[in-house]
Amino acid sequence: MFVLILGLILFLGAHSVRLWGEDFRDRMIAERGDGMWKGLYSLASIVGLVLIVWGYGLTRLNPIDVWYPPVWTRHLAILLNAVAFALVALNGSPGPIRAAVGHPMVLGVKVWAFAHLLANGRLGDILLFGAFMVWAIVDYAGSRRRDKREGIVRMAGPWKPELIRMAIGLALWLVFLLFLHQWLFGVSPLG
C-alpha cells in the first residue's frame, strides 16, 4: 500500500498545485522559467504514475476484500465509463457541452473513478479510485471557482466538432472495453 499511496501523493499532488499553491507555481515559473517548471511537473507526474501502477499491482497480489459489489454495478460502470471517455474527449473543444461543464476532462475523471468504485470492492481499488475521485471533486470545484474569479466565460461553439470528439471518445471506449482493459490490467469489464 505504501508504494501506491506514495504514487498517488506525487501524481495527484503535482496535478493539484493550481489548487493549493498557485502563488508557489507562479513564483517557481518566474524564478526558474516555464521549461524548468514543466520539467519538474512532468517528472513528478511520471514518477507518481509509475509508482501508482506498481503499487496497485502489489495490492492485487494480496487483495483485501472490503465489500462484494453486486453484478449490476459492473454493467453500470461500463455505461459510466462510456460517459467518462466522451467527456475526456471534449477537453479543449470549444463547443456547447464544454461551455456548460467547463472542465470536461476533470469531470470525466470523476465519472471514471466513481464507476470503478461502484464495481470494485478491494482495499487497493478503493484507495486508488477513491483518491482520484476525491481529487477530481476538489479540482473541479476549485477550477470552476477560479474560472468565476478570473471572469472566464467559455463561449459555446458549434456542435459538430464536439460530436466528432465524442464519437472518437466512444470509439476509444469500445476498443478499451473489448480489448485494452483485459490486455493492460488482466481483467475484462465484460466478465
Side-chain angles (χ1 to χ4, degrees):
M1 292 287 174
F2 175 77
V3 175
L4 176 59
I5 293 169
L6 182 61
L8 288 167
I9 290 169
L10 273 173
F11 185 83
L12 296 177
H15 284 79
S16 300
V17 171
R18 290 200 72 187
L19 291 172
W20 57 262
E22 196 155 3
D23 292 340
F24 167 76
R25 176 183 173 272
D26 293 344
R27 193 172 58 249
M28 289 293 289
I29 291 171
E31 291 174 5
R32 305 239 160 84
D34 192 49
M36 177 65 84
W37 172 256
K38 287 180 179 178
L40 291 172
Y41 175 87
S42 298
L43 180 63
S45 297
I46 291 167
V47 170
L49 185 59
V50 167
L51 291 173
I52 288 170
V53 170
W54 180 33
Y56 183 67
L58 292 174
T59 69
R60 292 176 72 189
L61 296 175
N62 296 307
I64 300 169
D65 291 321
V66 175
W67 75 295
Y68 300 96
V71 173
W72 65 266
T73 62
R74 283 191 308 214
H75 306 296
L76 181 56
I78 290 169
L79 293 174
L80 287 172
N81 275 293
V83 172
F85 270 74
L87 283 167
V88 169
L90 290 177
N91 194 52
S93 171
I97 297 172
R98 181 164 192 268
V101 301
H103 299 273
M105 180 174 276
V106 179
L107 187 56
V109 170
K110 188 188 323 184
V111 173
W112 166 83
F114 177 69
H116 282 80
L117 281 171
L118 281 176
N120 296 284
R122 294 184 174 152
L123 183 59
D125 301 324
I126 293 168
L127 185 60
L128 174 66
F129 301 116
F132 270 93
M133 186 164 166
V134 168
W135 170 82
I137 289 168
V138 172
D139 188 78
Y140 188 80
S143 296
R144 295 295 279 185
R145 278 193 305 276
R146 184 177 61 245
D147 290 350
K148 189 178 275 189
R149 184 177 65 243
E150 295 176 3
I152 295 173
V153 177
R154 289 179 176 77
M155 301 305 293
W159 278 97
K160 188 176 179 181
E162 278 199 339
L163 293 176
I164 291 169
R165 283 175 178 248
M166 289 175 71
I168 291 168
L170 291 172
L172 290 172
W173 162 77
L174 191 58
V175 169
F176 210 84
L177 175 70
L178 297 175
F179 307 107
L180 291 179
H181 200 280
Q182 170 74 43
W183 181 67
L184 289 169
F185 307 111
V187 177
S188 173
L190 300 173

